[in-house]
Amino acid sequence: MYFTFLAPRKYVQGRNVLREAGAHFSKVGKKPVVLWDARVKALVGERMLSSLKEAGLEPHEVEFRGDSTKAEAARVAQLARDHSADMVVGVGGGKTLDTAKAAAAQASVKMVSVPTLASTDSPTSSYTVWYDEKGACQGFESWGVNPDLVLVDSQVIAEAPVRAFVAGMGDALSTWVEAEVVHTTRGQNLAGGRATMVAMAIARLGYETLLQYGLEAKRAVEQKVVTHAVEKIIEANTLMSGLGFESCGVATAHMIANCLPGFPECRQLMHGEEVAFGVISQLCLDENMPTAEMHRIVDFLIALGLPVSFSELGLEGVARDRLKSIGEVCAGSGSLCHAHPFKVTPEKVVDAMIAADALGQERKRKCRAKAE
Ligand SMILES: [Zn+2]
């Protein structure tokens, strides 16, 4: 197995960088197809389009229909071909970016990510997570190449809902926790290779950045302002977590998180919120986890307001029987849970989730008592 590291060709982050979108895009191509929904266009359309015009680019706008389905990606790819586009630009959340990535790969053109939320790992990665028309997850697919450009306007991120920013921290926090497991067992990253030292250092830096600046950044985003802490967390959520998960690999936290949308009660949750509970479950499953470190992570998730118990996931009083299906998927063949240096069984996964719920509740009581 080779040491493999994946990354986008260029990453630019800063306040009002979208006002210079044209200058950045024109280094990638001349005829962009811009994929966004009406809400995102209302938010950033004017400043982005006027910058593209100034740079002499001819954008063709396509309205995103809401889910990253195979049909939607094929539709956008066809429009890119029909308009002889040389790049597809995704502007919005993870699903818009994932669809833009798929369409760009299918039309054999370049790809630009413009995330308007710092809520997922999508912007830098080579992956598309597929959904069906009903919104159920259908697995993921790599395009073998990462975006040609990732443009992140910190002002836009700071003005987006704070819930998305915090969910992004839940997703980002899992990166090191999972990377360490995969590294210990010499497991594969998402390119089928082994993690390089650079990838491990990035994952670790992301973890430390979150613990150090996470709460301060959340406070600033509640006021819709950009501070140095906000810039650091945008970088942790988007660049460090994106490079880290893809080039280091993922494990149980993401396996459990990806099973949760199967429960109708969890449909309103954001990906990073599900990952937060997945992280605690993985910590409870892990035989090598020091208790102090575990409490530090859980207390941080509580301070951020991320879900740490069944009731916060909408699963109050969930029966053990209902969790069994998650245990079976996690212990099944091809599961990412096999990255651990011990055998993962369905019973162990269910036990870990129940232990996570109990731990989350107990730490919450302790945190509350401390605050009073
Ligand atoms: Zn994730």
Side-chain angles (χ1 to χ4, degrees):
M1 210 192 310
Y2 298 117
F3 294 99
T4 313
F5 180 75
L6 301 99
R9 295 193 58 162
K10 191 172 186 181
Y11 176 90
V12 186
Q13 174 192 315
R15 192 201 294 262
N16 298 329
V17 72
L18 262 189
R19 293 198 181 135
E20 294 162 31
H24 292 288
F25 287 12
S26 60
K27 305 250 170 53
V28 179
K30 298 291 169 224
K31 292 188 78 178
V33 156
V34 177
L35 181 67
W36 50 17
D37 60 33
R39 202 189 50 80
V40 167
K41 186 182 172 183
L43 217 63
V44 300
E46 216 178 283
R47 55 192 128 160
M48 204 179 104
L49 289 174
S50 65
S51 167
L52 298 197
K53 206 170 157 197
E54 251 170 54
L57 300 179
E58 302 163 34
H60 175 75
E61 295 173 54
V62 178
E63 185 166 349
F64 180 52
R65 292 186 179 163
D67 248 328
S68 55
T69 63
K70 292 193 175 171
E72 177 66 346
R75 179 182 76 94
V76 179
Q78 191 54 48
L79 287 168
R81 286 187 210 102
D82 292 348
H83 289 87
S84 310
D86 54 11
M87 60 202 273
V88 177
V89 181
V91 189
K95 287 182 178 175
T96 313
L97 304 187
D98 280 9
T99 305
K101 276 185 242 176
Q106 287 167 15
S108 307
V109 296
K110 302 256 171 96
M111 198 274 153
V112 175
S113 277
V114 182
T116 53
L117 304 169
S119 60
T120 72
D121 283 335
S122 171
T124 62
S125 89
S126 66
Y127 275 84
T128 291
V129 181
W130 290 119
Y131 289 85
D132 66 14
E133 272 69 18
K134 289 185 189 128
C137 184
Q138 298 288 297
F140 47 84
E141 186 167 353
S142 169
W143 305 106
V145 286
N146 297 64
D148 295 276
L149 171 67
V150 180
L151 208 61
V152 193
D153 190 321
S154 311
Q155 189 65 47
V156 172
I157 303 284
E159 286 170 15
V162 69
R163 182 182 172 188
F165 189 72
V166 168
M169 286 197 256
D171 197 21
L173 191 78
S174 73
T175 304
W176 169 252
V177 175
E178 293 179 284
E180 206 183 11
V181 164
V182 180
H183 188 65
T184 315
T185 52
R186 309 282 183 269
Q188 282 186 7
N189 62 19
L190 276 84
R194 276 181 60 192
T196 58
M197 286 188 289
V198 160
M200 290 304 289
I202 289 170
R204 181 72 203 178
L205 181 62
Y207 178 73
E208 286 164 1
T209 305
L210 288 163
L211 290 173
Q212 195 173 345
Y213 297 102
L215 293 175
E216 197 181 325
K218 182 192 173 191
R219 266 200 312 277
V221 170
E222 280 167 348
Q223 303 306 318
K224 303 195 179 304
V225 295
V226 179
T227 61
H228 72 103
V230 171
E231 294 282 15
K232 286 181 165 77
I233 295 301
I234 293 173
E235 188 180 336
N237 283 9
T238 312
L239 185 63
M240 296 185 220
S241 185
L243 300 183
F245 99 92
E246 199 169 20
S247 289
C248 295
V250 290
T252 300
H254 264 81
M255 264 324 271
I256 290 178
N258 291 345
C259 289
L260 286 173
F263 291 107
E265 299 97 318
C266 296
R267 293 258 161 89
Q268 82 296 348
L269 293 172
M270 297 189 77
H271 171 70
E273 294 169 339
E274 292 159 338
V275 173
F277 188 76
V279 165
I280 308 177
S281 304
Q282 182 182 311
L283 298 177
C284 290
L285 178 76
D286 198 330
E287 296 168 1
N288 305 317
M289 196 65 209
T291 310
E293 183 82 350
M294 190 150 115
H295 289 176
R296 188 175 176 219
I297 292 172
V298 179
D299 291 357
F300 176 65
L301 295 173
I302 291 169
L304 285 176
L306 282 161
V308 297
S309 64
F310 287 140
S311 71
E312 288 171 311
L313 293 172
L315 291 173
E316 176 135 40
V318 64
R320 187 182 173 96
D321 252 18
R322 282 190 74 202
L323 300 174
K324 247 188 185 163
S325 59
I326 296 186
E328 274 153 19
V329 172
C330 288
S333 68
S335 162
L336 301 164
C337 299
H338 299 306
H340 291 279
F342 48 83
K343 192 169 163 50
V344 173
T345 63
E347 293 73 30
K348 274 191 193 171
V349 173
V350 174
D351 286 352
M353 289 179 73
I354 294 172
D357 168 61
L359 175 64
Q361 290 190 48
E362 189 204 87
R363 294 307 301 176
K364 208 157 185 180
R365 274 193 299 272
K366 287 219 161 106
C367 292
R368 225 179 271 141
K370 223 191 221 170
E372 277 162 12

